[in-house]
Amino acid sequence: MELKNRHIVIFSQMQFDSRLESTNYTMAKHLAQDNYVYYVDRPYTWKDYIQFKNTPGYKARKPHFFSPQNSFIQTEIPNLKIIITPPVPSINSLPEGAVYRLAVKVNERIVAARLNKIIKSLKIKDYIFINSYAFYYPSLHRLLKLKPLLKVYHCVDPLIEEYQIRHGLISEDILVKDMDLVISTSKELRNAKAKLNPNSYFVPNAADIGHSQKALDPALPVADILSDITKPIIGYFGNIERRIDYNLLTQLLEQNPDKNFVFVGPVGKDYENNPAFNAPNIFKKGAVPYEQLPAVLKGFDVAIIPFKKDDVSSSIFPLKLFEYLGSGRPVVITDFNEDLEEFTGDSVYICKNVDEFSAALNLSLNDTPFLQQKRLKIAAQNTWEHRITEIKSLLATNLNNKRKS
């Protein structure tokens, strides 16, 4: 079944101008190719409003915060609008309980009031509502005057950080139980959500292969941030936080003094001073715009995902895996999620320990055109075009089933 010319409201935990490409916003852009998509940007808190004043993000939102008549940013995609809501109170520091839940209702009403005005002003008659990992607002959809035809929760990650689980575990359970459909980005997440909502499905992450393949262009210069680093460069691109196995990383650095390890991406404040980053052959380069991803990947001799293996990581299906493969780089990862081999075959080195990881790095440095083509073929099978087709099919089928029931 096709999903075309539908109005789709996506309320997302990720902001549209996040420093890294997000599953949430990428999905919105693809759905907007033949549907009308309203991407509700994660609301600024009053703390954000003060802290980020005069930043580019603040300036982009400022005209829209308090203007019901000018509530959205029109993107370059004609059918995609970014909805900006008024700032909301900062409530996550409150203890779980009646006071916090009352505060949640206040924030939901602020966001719902803005959405109700937009739905009315744009004369939207019906729509699909997707909560894309915005689990802090578990009952927002109930406050919308025009009830959605279909309610969907899009779960892109497990809840792991302390600030998430403080209230998120309860909120996400409320949300999952109240949805018509749940879509998760890993089998482990799907299985967990299915205990609360049997209409749960697995649709893994993918990548913008056209973007990462720019790394194959001979005319593309390597990113300047890598210019002072001696090859071979073993590179990581993404968030630097809890998921990384810092003990394994420390051993890798010791076993491979002839290689330089580069980590490019925003660093969580709890991990900035991790002892692993004291080694002489590791470099933190900070966050770079997503547009620079191909130039960064071009400078990597090997791309790595050194995640720790635990109950949380088994639920992670990293976006960067297929971005790496789409760039043609050799890829070495830990065996944190057993589902990944199903999607990558023998194109990725999946390692159980530091010795296997070191051996895989050495093998990867003797890369061949044949192996590169194998990786590019795998990447081509895991594009966002493929994934969005699956998501649209699920939405259309469930919409049809709900109408029949």
Side-chain angles (χ1 to χ4, degrees), residues 2-3 17 24 67-68 75 90 98 116 133 144 166 174 189 229 249 279 288 293 320 330 340-341 384:
E2 284 192 319
L3 189 83
D17 53 356
N24 322 60
S67 175
T75 71
S90 304
N116 283 328
Y133 202 55
L144 300 177
R166 183 183 301 138
I174 294 170
L189 285 172
I229 301 175
L249 179 57
V288 301
L293 169 69
K320 66 176 63 63
L340 298 181
E341 188 170 0
W384 273 114

Side-chain angles (χ1 to χ4, degrees), residues 65-240:
F65 279 134
F66 306 108
S67 175
Q69 291 76 36
N70 183 23
S71 302
F72 59 81
I73 299 170
Q74 178 60 58
T75 71
E76 295 179 354
I77 301 172
N79 289 350
L80 177 59
K81 293 177 171 58
I82 310 297
I83 309 301
I84 305 298
T85 72
V88 298
S90 304
I91 63 173
N92 200 50
S93 60
L94 293 173
E96 179 57 52
V99 173
Y100 173 78
R101 290 296 150 186
L102 180 61
V104 170
K105 293 296 182 187
V106 170
N107 285 2
E108 288 179 332
R109 287 192 179 97
I110 292 171
V111 176
R114 175 58 55 89
L115 273 178
N116 283 328
K117 287 180 180 178
I118 289 173
I119 289 170
K120 182 178 179 180
S121 66
L122 296 179
K123 299 180 180 179
I124 297 171
K125 302 300 182 184
D126 55 51
Y127 64 98
I128 296 169
F129 179 84
I130 301 177
N131 180 307
S132 189
Y133 202 55
F135 48 85
Y136 292 118
Y137 296 75
S139 303
L140 171 68
H141 54 281
R142 290 181 169 272
L143 299 176
L144 300 177
K145 293 178 181 177
L146 180 63
K147 300 306 176 185
L149 297 175
L150 187 71
K151 308 184 300 291
V152 183
Y153 179 49
H154 182 219
C155 183
V156 302
D157 261 329
L159 306 186
I160 54 175
E161 300 288 357
E162 192 277 331
Y163 74 90
Q164 293 177 318
I165 63 178
R166 183 183 301 138
H167 304 295
L169 295 177
I170 292 174
S171 293
E172 191 179 51
D173 282 1
I174 294 170
L175 183 61
V176 169
K177 290 175 183 177
D178 202 26
M179 293 292 101
D180 300 309
L181 167 67
V182 179
I183 300 173
S184 298
T185 57
S186 78
K187 288 182 181 179
E188 196 80 18
L189 285 172
R190 186 271 316 274
N191 294 342
K193 305 314 171 196
K195 295 176 182 177
L196 300 174
N197 189 325
N199 198 30
S200 296
Y201 297 85
F202 163 51
V203 179
N205 278 327
D208 182 353
I209 304 303
H211 185 54
S212 56
Q213 279 185 339
K214 294 174 185 175
L216 300 170
D217 183 356
L220 179 72
V222 172
D224 289 341
I225 60 170
L226 303 178
S227 62
D228 61 338
I229 301 175
T230 305
K231 285 182 168 290
I233 293 176
I234 312 302
Y236 172 89
F237 189 101
N239 289 309
I240 300 165

Side-chain angles (χ1 to χ4, degrees), residues 242-311:
R242 178 208 176 276
R243 305 174 193 198
I244 291 173
D245 188 336
Y246 294 98
N247 290 330
L248 177 136
L249 179 57
T250 298
Q251 296 176 67
L252 281 175
L253 293 163
E254 292 174 352
Q255 289 190 12
N256 297 274
D258 58 323
K259 304 175 183 68
N260 284 317
F261 291 72
V262 179
F263 281 66
V264 180
V267 185
K269 63 180 181 179
D270 294 332
Y271 304 94
E272 289 175 341
N273 299 316
N274 190 284
F277 294 113
N278 294 332
N281 55 332
I282 189 167
F283 303 85
K284 284 186 298 182
K285 290 296 184 178
V288 301
Y290 181 68
E291 289 72 23
Q292 293 184 25
L293 169 69
V296 172
L297 293 181
K298 185 172 183 178
F300 291 175
D301 296 293
V302 184
I304 61 172
I305 307 179
F307 284 176
K308 64 176 68 172
K309 184 177 181 179
D310 58 20
D311 291 341

